[in-house]
Amino acid sequence: MSAICVLFGVLCSGTIHGQERTVLTLEKNWKFHKGDVENATSTSFDDSKWETVTVPHDWAIKGPFDKEIDKQTVAIVQNGEEVATEKTGRTGALPYIGIGWYRNQFAIPNFDSEKKVILLFEGAMSEPEIFLNGQKIGSWNYGYSYFYFDITEHIRANQKNILAVKLTNRELSSRWYPGAGLYRNVRVITKNKESIDQWGTFITTPFITSDLAKVNIKTKVSGENLKMVTTIKDADGNTVAVDSTQAIFGDAFEQNIAVNNPRLWSPETPYLYSATSQLYVEDILKDEISTRFGIRKIKYEAEKGFSLNDSVIKFKGVCLHHDLGPIGTAVNTSALRRQLQILKDMGANAIRSAHNMPSLEQLELCDEMGFMFLAESFDEWAKPKVDNGYHRYFESDAEKDIVNLVQATRNHPSIVMWSSGNEVPDQWGSDGAKRAKWLQDIFHREDPTRPVTVGMDQVQATMASGFGAVLDIPGLNYRVNLYEDAYKAFPQGMILGSETASTVSSRGIYKFPVVEAKMKMYDDLQSSSYDLEACSWSNIPDEDFVLQDDKPWVIGEFVWTGFDYLGEPTPYDTKWPSRSSYFGINDLAGLPKDRFYLYRSRWNTKEETLHMLPHWNWEGREGEITPVFVYTNYDSAELFVNGKSMGIQRKSMNSPTARYRLMWMDVKYEPGTIKVVAFDAEGNPVAEKETHTAGTPYKLVLEADRTQLSADGKDLAFVTVSVVDKNGVPCPSATNQLKFKVKGAGSYKAAANGDATSLEMFHLPTMKLFSGKLVVLVQPDESPGNITLEVSGKGLKTAKINLTSYNKL
Ligand code: GAL
């Protein structure tokens, strides 16, 4: 096997093992060509001149940005627009449109008539057409789906098999940057004819007490005279139960296995068990797979809401698109893990995959790190939002896309709810409710344990048509003023904030005067970080907090969005060069905006939050009103400007903002120091923070999220670069052009500064600071060693940081 791994791919080290099956992940030595090519499917085709790439791969992320790419002249009806306008940057202005070809080779050692081979794609953007050894194997339309083909008949024994994949991305097919190419893993699974079916295992935990859990395992298999032996192991690998059965029902075994004193899965205690399923014929082991699962109980009850393991909790969630900022859509576990670490620190407990299937890597991390998950399937049903959207396939493909979503992911304890759609225009008209029911029934058939929601924005229409009443869980996108009406009109006795806020801001940018505003635009194409600006259809976070806190029947919220993403630069979607969103709680580089601390002050109940804004470098604003906001979990605080008290502010019920923020609205700017002192409930000073006016940029400071990395060619260190003055005070408006150099056992991967208007390319080793900061991504090679990142800028002291990569961390 190892020779094959080295030559043609990498053996998967994930959840699947055993000699009876091999999983070859096709990562390296892919050949890629942008544009259509004749005969690219042929086994004799010469692809030596094509670019060599590693998969997962996003062919468009290296740009360049171009305002003409997928320029959409449309009226976005769901945003209330009536007149078409020219939208540049709606899908990120990156070159994802067009055809792309990938080719690779692999061999199946010792292939014989007893073997079965499966070719699995965990996502391919988009409309993949698959060819093996010159023959068309099949195709799939939806770029977000996981899908597979049985390629046994097409395999050439003991010689190379030539795989060719054609992908087609059309204009007007998306509302955000979808990426392009084989952006998720491709695997070749070889097993015996007698084996466990692909995604054939379904583990549920229907009975749980503190002494005992019953684990129900259904396993679909192929073959005759079979025996299934299942071993359940705890997180330390100790066997806790073994069960053997020959009783097969149709094509599936069903086992109920007792686990004593079960340790329950929750966001605070993400405890995972594993089930090893061994399939025998007589006493010969034919197949073996291992599946991780959690033991946990979920319940949704009218008036009471959602409970996990019998405790009522609310979703403190964020919506996420799938791109990872500067590295685009090519799935990367380190980048996903970093996102989740940031969200964990904020106190978030849930993620919604907007508006499509999540990566399997993200689900695994959510299982491990403790996040609940709302897994979504579609942004369109039969009625279009964009001309070439999913509606083209809805009738023919919706069922199989949902089946694959559920079957591939249903063993993840993190998933606690499905969503069949987001703001589908089918909310209007009588057919919509029927479609909602049809889709929901498919989810129920495939997984009877989790409810289904739809993110609804046309709330009045769904109240009138019965659409909302059909759903297991009515999800409202925005429309805070309609929660009460919807709760009364719908029969479920609960409302989910399936999408909330859509507040817009640019990290470190503050605008005056400080007032609440909708669709506010400024000449620099940035939005204010006083966190008072939202869209015409949306609202500031505080208005959601009121509903979450005051209404027991509101079961939580999913904020739009946890991180900025490429495309959808509202409110600047007609203003070039805006090319990425302003909605993120964190920017495109993953750096927290002020809003991060507003959510943290409410969501992270274990740690102190005391955060002051704006920065205090306002040359030219001397004597002018420059309000100061504090986001904190304390109820009151006193503000000082250069030692002078500006008075004590206390949270109050006077308005949503007064309830969740401390605001000193009349402060006049003078350079120096602002200081906030927070008080506990008894009025004792317990914490303080200061912000100083910075001098001129002097030196660079580097801080890595991790300095110890895996020498696997995939891991990433995220190094935050800031510029400080002579006294070490951060310079909040610095925009210095920086250069990056990586030496040793790694390379420069990308950089991002969070500026939604920047046209600098992420993969080039130079970028400007934005609001005094940016982030550099460094990737280790496959051999371990020391890595040094050096960052320099004109007139600034150069900075270095050392990282180390290891064979096994
Ligand atoms: C919602 C939509 C999201 C995003 C958001 C921006 O209506 O579901 O995909 O467009 O608005 O506010």
Side-chain angles (χ1 to χ4, degrees):
M1 187 66 225
S2 56
I4 292 302
C5 295
V6 174
L7 273 177
F8 301 112
V10 178
L11 195 78
C12 169
S13 61
T15 49
I16 301 165
H17 59 83
Q19 293 166 344
E20 294 61 38
R21 64 163 64 204
T22 56
V23 181
L24 186 67
T25 301
L26 299 178
E27 288 182 338
K28 294 198 174 151
N29 296 323
W30 282 90
K31 290 294 191 173
F32 168 70
H33 179 82
K34 175 86 191 288
D36 205 2
V37 179
E38 256 181 65
N39 294 327
T41 64
S42 154
T43 48
S44 57
F45 181 81
D46 177 12
D47 58 20
S48 59
K49 299 233 163 56
W50 289 11
E51 188 187 347
T52 304
V53 300
T54 298
V55 166
H57 178 241
D58 179 345
W59 86 51
I61 191 61
K62 291 187 178 168
F65 293 109
D66 179 345
K67 73 182 283 209
E68 296 305 317
I69 298 173
D70 200 20
K71 190 167 72 181
Q72 302 189 3
T73 304
V74 289
I76 304 177
V77 180
Q78 68 261 34
N79 292 0
E81 294 179 6
E82 282 164 11
V83 180
T85 50
E86 191 179 278
K87 292 175 174 75
T88 44
R90 191 180 190 199
T91 49
L94 289 164
Y96 82 100
I97 302 293
I99 290 173
W101 278 97
Y102 290 82
R103 282 171 55 95
N104 203 347
Q105 308 180 359
F106 63 91
I108 307 281
N110 309 320
F111 179 77
D112 59 36
S113 59
E114 293 305 304
K115 294 270 184 332
K116 190 188 262 187
V117 185
I118 301 288
L119 178 61
L120 171 69
F121 289 81
E122 295 177 354
M125 193 60 70
S126 63
E127 302 181 26
E129 294 170 67
I130 321 291
F131 305 84
L132 190 66
N133 300 327
Q135 303 258 307
K136 184 154 183 179
I137 300 293
S139 60
W140 204 273
N141 295 314
Y142 196 30
Y144 293 103
S145 269
Y146 336 105
F147 62 95
Y148 65 90
F149 300 108
D150 184 334
I151 55 169
T152 313
E153 278 176 23
H154 301 270
I155 290 296
R156 301 196 300 196
N158 301 319
Q159 51 175 313
K160 285 177 189 170
N161 292 280
I162 313 288
L163 176 63
V165 182
K166 180 185 182 187
L167 297 164
T168 306
N169 289 317
R170 293 167 205 270
E171 290 179 332
L172 288 157
S173 60
S174 186
R175 302 191 296 115
W176 57 87
Y177 176 64
L182 293 177
Y183 70 112
R184 289 182 180 167
N185 278 302
V186 182
R187 307 192 201 269
V188 181
I189 301 162
T190 307
K191 53 186 185 171
N192 289 313
K193 287 249 148 85
E194 295 99 347
S195 51
I196 298 162
D197 291 0
Q198 183 65 24
W199 305 327
T201 311
F202 186 16
I203 305 182
T204 56
T205 52
F207 178 83
I208 302 171
T209 65
S210 57
D211 315 330
L212 179 73
K214 289 280 179 65
V215 180
N216 179 279
I217 307 185
K218 297 187 181 72
T219 316
K220 279 182 102 182
V221 290
S222 304
E224 306 276 315
N225 299 320
L226 302 171
K227 181 173 81 178
M228 174 61 69
V229 178
T230 300
T231 307
I232 295 184
K233 291 184 180 158
D234 66 16
D236 297 323
N238 304 314
T239 298
V240 295
V242 182
D243 181 81
S244 166
T245 181
Q246 285 178 296
I248 192 157
F249 307 96
D251 58 357
F253 288 106
E254 178 159 359
Q255 293 165 290
N256 284 293
I257 306 177
V259 171
N260 292 324
N261 306 316
R263 297 192 51 185
L264 304 191
W265 184 95
S266 74
E268 294 76 32
T269 58
Y271 194 87
L272 296 171
Y273 290 86
S274 70
T276 304
S277 314
Q278 292 176 306
L279 186 72
Y280 289 87
V281 174
E282 312 276 288
D283 281 332
I284 302 164
L285 181 62
K286 288 289 181 179
D287 197 10
E288 176 175 328
I289 65 166
S290 175
T291 310
R292 280 200 319 188
F293 68 98
I295 299 178
R296 54 111 181 100
K297 199 190 285 183
I298 57 170
K299 230 190 256 168
Y300 295 82
E301 292 165 287
E303 316 307 327
K304 207 169 153 192
F306 168 69
S307 54
L308 179 71
N309 303 329
D310 297 323
S311 300
V312 173
I313 49 171
K314 294 204 183 202
F315 296 112
K316 299 185 281 188
V318 298
C319 303
L320 292 179
H321 269 315
H322 67 307
D323 79 65
L324 295 166
I327 54 170
T329 58
V331 67
N332 180 284
T333 300
S334 303
L336 288 166
R337 188 183 293 115
R338 171 180 178 249
Q339 285 196 333
L340 294 176
Q341 276 160 347
I342 291 167
L343 294 173
K344 197 77 176 175
D345 176 45
M346 190 170 76
N349 66 10
I351 309 288
R352 168 186 180 220
S353 61
H355 301 294
N356 35 257
M357 292 73 181
S359 67
L360 302 178
E361 290 81 353
Q362 189 180 37
L363 292 174
E364 278 180 16
L365 288 168
C366 287
D367 290 348
E368 287 165 17
M369 296 171 71
F371 283 90
M372 295 180 285
F373 209 97
L374 169 49
E376 192 155 83
S377 49
F378 309 123
D379 192 50
E380 276 186 19
W381 293 350
K383 291 191 179 176
K385 284 183 184 172
V386 279
D387 284 3
N388 289 318
Y390 187 76
H391 67 273
R392 292 179 296 148
Y393 312 122
F394 179 77
E395 295 295 345
S396 58
D397 290 11
E399 178 164 3
K400 66 178 190 180
D401 283 327
I402 290 178
V403 167
N404 284 14
L405 165 62
V406 178
Q407 292 192 355
T409 66
R410 61 193 170 184
N411 296 323
H412 289 280
S414 51
I415 299 182
V416 295
M417 196 189 298
W418 305 108
S419 164
S420 65
N422 173 64
E423 298 188 355
V424 290
D426 311 58
Q427 289 166 101
W428 299 98
S430 59
D431 287 343
K434 284 189 199 152
R435 287 184 196 123
K437 176 85 170 68
W438 176 59
L439 298 172
Q440 183 166 281
D441 286 348
I442 299 170
F443 275 103
H444 288 170
R445 183 189 75 209
E446 297 301 317
D447 171 20
T449 72
R450 298 173 177 96
V452 182
T453 190
V454 171
M456 298 182 288
D457 62 331
Q458 302 303 325
V459 181
Q460 308 275 19
T462 59
M463 288 197 275
S465 68
F467 185 108
V470 161
L471 307 174
D472 296 332
I473 311 284
L476 260 58
N477 284 11
Y478 314 102
R479 315 298 186 273
V480 282
N481 56 325
L482 290 174
Y483 271 53
E484 197 84 46
D485 290 355
Y487 167 62
K488 287 188 190 131
F490 295 145
Q492 297 88 341
M494 69 186 93
I495 297 289
L496 169 69
S498 41
E499 202 171 303
T500 62
S502 269
T503 298
V504 287
S505 62
S506 307
R507 178 180 55 77
I509 303 288
Y510 306 90
K511 303 290 187 184
F512 304 95
V514 175
V515 282
E516 280 192 47
K518 295 281 166 90
M519 300 308 260
K520 181 80 187 162
M521 291 195 252
Y522 303 91
D523 290 347
D524 61 356
L525 310 189
Q526 304 293 355
S527 296
S528 178
S529 270
Y530 276 102
D531 298 325
L532 293 172
E533 295 172 5
C535 305
S536 54
W537 57 89
S538 71
N539 53 271
I540 56 173
D542 318 62
E543 292 185 52
D544 300 313
F545 295 164
V546 170
L547 288 166
Q548 299 297 325
D549 281 348
D550 293 354
K551 311 288 179 195
W553 42 267
V554 177
I555 66 170
E557 65 167 316
F558 287 87
V559 178
W560 192 265
T561 48
F563 291 84
D564 275 332
Y565 51 95
L566 293 161
E568 213 182 24
T570 316
Y572 297 109
D573 51 6
T574 59
K575 308 275 183 200
W576 185 252
S578 288
R579 49 65 172 161
S580 57
S581 80
Y582 298 77
F583 296 119
I585 294 171
N586 299 282
D587 72 14
L588 200 73
L591 294 170
K593 302 182 189 171
D594 291 294
R595 232 157 353 117
F596 173 90
Y597 300 96
L598 183 57
Y599 286 100
R600 191 180 192 272
S601 67
R602 253 177 61 74
W603 284 1
N604 183 337
T605 49
K606 297 215 172 76
E607 281 158 296
E608 174 184 286
T609 298
L610 183 60
H611 176 78
M612 187 164 39
L613 62 131
H615 63 69
W616 213 240
N617 268 63
W618 296 108
E619 214 184 327
R621 287 190 58 76
E622 288 78 4
E624 288 186 54
I625 298 281
T626 308
V628 174
F629 288 9
V630 168
Y631 298 157
T632 179
N633 53 320
Y634 296 111
D635 278 341
S636 63
E638 185 169 7
L639 180 74
F640 299 88
V641 177
N642 291 331
K644 280 183 294 249
S645 173
M646 299 289 119
I648 294 176
Q649 287 292 334
R650 216 173 288 285
K651 289 180 189 165
S652 77
M653 299 296 272
N654 291 347
S655 69
T657 46
R659 194 166 162 184
Y660 298 102
R661 313 177 187 202
L662 298 175
M663 300 179 292
W664 287 260
M665 296 305 292
D666 302 325
V667 178
K668 290 199 176 121
Y669 176 67
E670 55 184 67
T673 299
I674 51 172
K675 175 163 112 175
V676 62
V677 179
F679 303 114
D680 66 12
E682 284 75 47
N684 305 310
V686 282
E688 59 179 63
K689 275 269 160 76
E690 288 187 358
T691 305
H692 305 274
T693 304
T696 49
Y698 173 69
K699 68 167 188 185
L700 294 161
V701 177
L702 310 187
E703 202 186 338
D705 67 332
R706 285 155 64 233
T707 52
Q708 306 204 327
L709 304 166
S710 292
D712 60 2
K714 300 179 204 175
D715 205 356
L716 290 169
F718 290 82
V719 182
T720 300
V721 181
S722 327
V723 65
V724 298
D725 71 6
K726 271 209 156 115
N727 302 316
V729 177
C731 302
S733 330
T735 55
N736 306 58
Q737 186 82 41
L738 304 184
K739 282 191 181 148
F740 320 116
K741 224 184 255 166
V742 175
K743 289 189 192 138
S747 59
Y748 169 80
K749 176 77 179 172
N753 62 12
D755 177 0
T757 69
S758 166
L759 298 181
E760 290 182 291
M761 287 321 307
F762 306 116
H763 68 290
L764 299 176
T766 176
M767 189 169 278
K768 271 173 134 178
L769 291 165
F770 179 62
S771 296
K773 283 188 195 305
L774 56 74
V775 174
V776 177
L777 285 65
V778 177
Q779 189 153 64
D781 300 337
E782 287 184 11
S783 4
N786 294 325
I787 307 167
T788 306
L789 166 68
E790 189 181 292
V791 183
S792 58
K794 237 195 197 155
L796 295 170
K797 261 182 115 172
T798 297
K800 277 185 192 170
I801 191 165
N802 294 321
L803 313 167
T804 314
S805 70
Y806 299 89
N807 269 335
K808 232 184 184 156
L809 267 191

